[in-house]
Amino acid sequence: MPEGHTLHRLAHDLTDAFAGRPVRVGSPQGRFDAEARQLDGQVLDGAQAWGKQLFLEFPGERYIHIHLGLIGKLQLTPYDDQPPPPIGQVRLRLVGESTVADLRGATACDLWTREQVDAGIAKLGPDPLRPPDAGGDPLKAWARIGRSQRSIASLLMDQTVLAGVGNVYRAELLFRHRVDPYRRGDALTRKQWLAMWDDLVALMHDGVAKNRIDTVRVEHTPEAMDRDPRVDDHGGEVYVYRRTGQPCHVCGAVVRTAELEGRNLFWCPRCQRASRSRATK
DNA sequence: CAGTCATGCGCAG
DNA sequence: TGCGCCTGACTGC
């Protein structure tokens, strides 16, 4: 679930459901209790995402900073009469007029000052889901990528290079641009990078709108190819992500996987032919 | 029904 | 480099 599109979608949905009115803030699990008490009953000003970081803004320049990590979820549930009782380890619960939001399993849920938010954002690279003049400048990422000997696969997942891309968008972006995951950053051209960025902007906006990651072009959809749709918990239609051992939708070669920096990498060895300058990490 | 693994990342060692 | 976070879908017995 949580790549950048998930957090931006949550920011939008939270603003819709809670902003501009008093919100009950609690921590049924207890771990965020002291902080929740300080915010309980205050008006939520709004929610914003930057990469995979989510910020809920309260009066007095106080922000709830949330990072879902790998297994975290922020679940919004509409209710009519009474909010349903919390289930499991709910670290943060927001209750609005007709919506309840429950946070479980997150890596981070802290109360931050404006200075902490600014410092946190300053560490992040540009976010494809932000406007070019407000944090979405692809040249800031290129300044790092274009002179790096590290692999493009490693660079794409480095949130200080660009913010919001996770393992699915990484694999799919590299496939769509026929780039070997191990190609060195400095072996890409500026033009190639800008084309990848533009594609990422479109893919991730589509992800926000649909709340899932679909990356196959129209000619490679299940309907167009007369094949079965994807059925696992990921759900989206993709070219290579978690398709190890299956035939590439484009060329039929067997999709490969390898571990890189503790994460699985997926690619088609034929469509994404290895370049001469391959990085080792 | 126990075990595995996952769209992430900070920190201990 | 490996663990913690501590959810939840899927797998194999």
Side-chain angles (χ1 to χ4, degrees):
Chain A
M1 294 285 278
E3 296 195 26
H5 70 300
T6 303
L7 284 302
H8 280 264
R9 173 62 179 258
L10 279 170
H12 186 264
D13 290 349
L14 286 164
T15 299
D16 268 6
F18 298 102
R21 295 183 299 276
V23 180
R24 300 303 310 263
V25 184
S27 178
Q29 174 216 46
R31 211 174 134 182
F32 192 64
D33 201 49
E35 296 89 339
R37 285 174 193 282
Q38 297 180 45
L39 303 173
D40 189 25
Q42 306 255 332
V43 172
L44 178 73
D45 290 324
Q48 278 209 65
W50 190 303
K52 299 169 191 170
Q53 318 282 327
L54 178 64
F55 302 101
L56 309 192
E57 185 175 359
F58 285 88
E61 299 200 333
R62 288 179 301 175
Y63 300 81
I64 299 179
H65 163 247
I66 292 171
H67 195 289
L68 294 179
L70 185 59
I71 62 178
K73 283 191 174 57
L74 182 52
Q75 177 187 49
L76 275 67
T77 311
Y79 70 90
D80 289 327
D81 189 23
Q82 289 289 315
I87 296 167
Q89 298 281 308
V90 176
R91 200 192 305 183
L92 168 68
R93 165 168 271 213
L94 303 178
V95 182
E97 286 170 0
S98 59
T99 307
V100 56
D102 283 337
L103 178 70
R104 297 183 189 85
T107 293
C109 176
D110 323 285
L111 185 54
W112 276 13
T113 63
R114 175 74 203 207
E115 288 68 34
Q116 287 175 298
V117 172
D118 289 345
I121 289 174
K123 291 177 192 158
L124 299 173
D127 177 346
L129 287 172
R130 300 190 63 92
D133 59 353
D137 177 3
L139 294 178
K140 291 209 164 129
W142 178 245
R144 295 276 307 275
I145 294 168
R147 57 188 176 78
S148 177
Q149 299 183 21
R150 287 163 56 198
S151 65
I152 185 61
S154 170
L155 291 161
L156 285 174
M157 290 276 279
D158 182 339
Q159 302 297 299
T160 71
V161 173
L162 76 163
V165 169
N167 211 11
V168 184
Y169 282 122
R170 165 173 77 173
E172 295 300 301
L173 184 72
L174 292 172
F175 178 89
R176 285 168 60 95
H177 294 263
R178 305 178 66 92
V179 172
D180 170 19
Y182 293 94
R183 190 185 301 178
R184 284 168 43 154
D186 61 11
L188 283 171
T189 66
R190 186 174 180 272
K191 190 177 170 187
Q192 267 179 316
W193 167 247
L194 292 176
M196 288 170 72
W197 176 274
D198 287 346
D199 198 27
L200 202 45
V201 170
L203 287 172
M204 292 182 75
H205 276 289
D206 180 72
V208 173
K210 296 197 297 200
N211 219 0
R212 68 177 226 177
I213 301 177
D214 286 301
T215 61
V216 298
R217 300 185 178 94
V218 63
E219 64 268 35
H220 301 126
T221 58
E223 307 79 63
M225 296 184 73
D226 195 26
R227 60 180 171 83
D228 289 334
R230 193 182 179 94
V231 290
D232 70 5
D233 59 330
H234 164 252
E237 284 298 332
V238 293
Y239 285 108
V240 291
Y241 175 70
R242 281 219 254 172
R243 293 197 63 248
T244 309
Q246 297 177 55
C248 171
H249 292 323
V250 173
C251 78
V254 175
V255 172
R256 287 194 58 185
T257 188
E259 195 178 300
L260 178 72
E261 293 167 344
R263 305 300 299 278
N264 288 319
L265 197 54
F266 304 89
W267 78 102
C268 169
R270 190 181 295 166
C271 291
Q272 299 166 267
R273 205 174 290 290
S275 56
R276 268 151 246 83
S277 55
R278 286 186 115 203
T280 51
K281 62 181 180 180

